[in-house]
Amino acid sequence: MTFTNKAFTWIELLVVLVIIGVLVLLLLPVVETARPASQCMQCANNLKQLGLAMHNYHDEYGCLPPAYVADENGKPMHSWRTLLLPYMEQKALYDQYNFDEPWDSPANQVVVGSVIDCLRCPSAKSNLASGQPLPENRTCYVMITGPGMFSEGENCVTTKDIADGTSNTIMIVEIRNSDIAWAEPRDLRADELWGINNESDERPSTLGSEHHGGMNVLICDGSVRFMPATITPERLRALLTIAGGEKAEDF
C-alpha cells in the first residue's frame, strides 16, 4: 500500500512537470516578442535623458553643446557626450575627466572605460562583422555633423538658430555596429549617410538600429520619435538640416 501511494505521487509530479514545460514553451514566444519592444522603449528613454541634458546645458551656457571641443590646432579633443556628463547624473565622472588632455590620453582612460547606460541602446548586439559583444563603453547615439546640420563640429547653436523649429529638426540619431567610444569626439558626417539600414550593413557606425522597422531619433525640442527604415536618404537629410524648411512630423 505504501509503495502504491509513492508511485502515485511520482506520477502526479511528472504530470505537473510536463504541464510546466508546456506552459514555458507557450510563453517563450510572448517573452521573445516583448523583449524587443521593451528594449526599443528603453532606447527612447535614453534619448529623452539626452534631450533633457541638452536643454539643461543650453539653460546654463546659452547654447547647445558642439559636436566636439578642439585643441589649438583644430584637432577634436572632447565629445559633446563628455560635456553632458554633469547633466546625466555623472558629475563624479566629469570631475575626474582631464580636459587638458585628449580623450584617449592615459590620464582619461579610467573615465573613458566607464559604462554609462543611457549612452548605449539595450538592443545593441555586436560590434562590426565579428559578432563579438559590443564593448560596454561604446555609444549608440551620435550627432550628424556637416554644413547646415545641427553641428558643423566646433560650432555651437542656440535654439533660436534652428530656423526650422526645434520640433522639426533631428538632434541625435542611433547607429548600428558602433566602434565609437562614448567619450570619443567622433560622430557621423552627413556625407556618410546612405539611409537607414537595420539588416545587413556591417560597416562600422552605420546609421540604423536593431529595432524592427526603423530607429529612434531625438528631436531638438527634446521629444523622441520612431523613424521608419523606409524613409528616403533625401528626406532624412532634409530633416537633419536646421534651416531647410522641413517638418519632422512628416516622417
Side-chain angles (χ1 to χ4, degrees):
M1 186 67 179
T2 302
F3 176 78
T4 302
N5 287 340
K6 285 184 177 181
F8 183 74
T9 301
W10 280 112
I11 291 173
E12 287 184 322
L13 177 60
L14 288 173
V15 170
V16 170
L17 290 175
V18 169
I19 293 173
I20 291 174
V22 171
L23 289 175
V24 169
L25 290 175
L26 291 174
L27 288 173
L28 277 177
V30 177
V31 173
E32 291 301 317
T33 301
R35 184 181 296 118
S38 174
Q39 291 173 335
C40 187
M41 183 178 298
Q42 181 57 54
C43 175
N45 288 336
N46 289 347
L47 286 170
K48 287 179 181 178
Q49 289 185 55
L50 290 178
L52 180 61
M54 283 279 195
H55 283 273
N56 286 337
Y57 182 100
H58 189 284
D59 289 344
E60 183 166 350
Y61 292 100
C63 67
L64 294 161
Y68 59 79
V69 176
D71 63 16
E72 62 274 11
N73 297 315
K75 181 180 179 180
M77 287 184 68
H78 314 296
S79 169
W80 61 271
R81 292 172 288 265
T82 305
L83 298 178
L84 288 186
L85 287 177
Y87 309 97
M88 299 189 296
E89 300 182 353
Q90 298 293 336
K91 183 65 162 57
L93 279 181
Y94 182 84
D95 290 340
Q96 294 176 47
Y97 190 86
N98 188 343
F99 282 91
D100 295 326
E101 298 283 342
W103 75 277
D104 56 352
S105 68
N108 284 322
Q109 287 309 292
V110 173
V111 175
V112 171
S114 300
V115 178
I116 301 178
D117 290 336
C118 70
L119 291 176
R120 173 188 169 97
C121 175
S123 67
K125 297 177 180 178
S126 61
N127 185 26
L128 310 183
S130 65
Q132 296 301 311
L134 189 72
E136 292 189 341
N137 72 334
R138 296 295 189 264
T139 184
C140 299
Y141 307 121
V142 298
M143 289 183 185
I144 303 296
T145 62
M149 301 294 151
F150 178 77
S151 177
E152 295 184 15
E154 293 183 78
N155 68 306
C156 297
V157 300
T158 70
T159 53
K160 293 181 179 179
D161 294 325
I162 304 173
D164 288 344
T166 57
S167 62
N168 300 318
T169 305
I170 295 172
M171 179 185 287
I172 297 173
V173 299
E174 285 192 80
I175 55 172
R176 297 177 65 243
N177 304 319
S178 177
D179 64 349
I180 301 176
W182 65 261
E184 185 177 357
R186 178 161 64 98
D187 289 273
L188 193 60
R189 299 194 312 272
D191 59 11
E192 296 175 324
L193 293 181
W194 298 95
I196 301 174
N197 194 317
N198 282 12
E199 302 298 334
S200 60
D201 198 329
E202 298 296 345
R203 291 176 299 166
S205 302
T206 304
L207 184 66
S209 75
E210 300 295 339
H211 310 311
H212 178 70
M215 55 183 268
N216 290 313
V217 296
L218 175 66
I219 307 300
C220 288
D221 64 359
S223 64
V224 176
R225 302 184 190 178
F226 191 79
M227 177 181 287
T230 53
I231 191 169
T232 64
E234 294 77 18
R235 183 65 186 142
L236 175 60
R237 288 172 182 270
L239 292 168
L240 290 166
T241 59
I242 65 173
E246 306 85 11
K247 294 183 179 181
E249 60 260 32
D250 291 343
F251 308 164

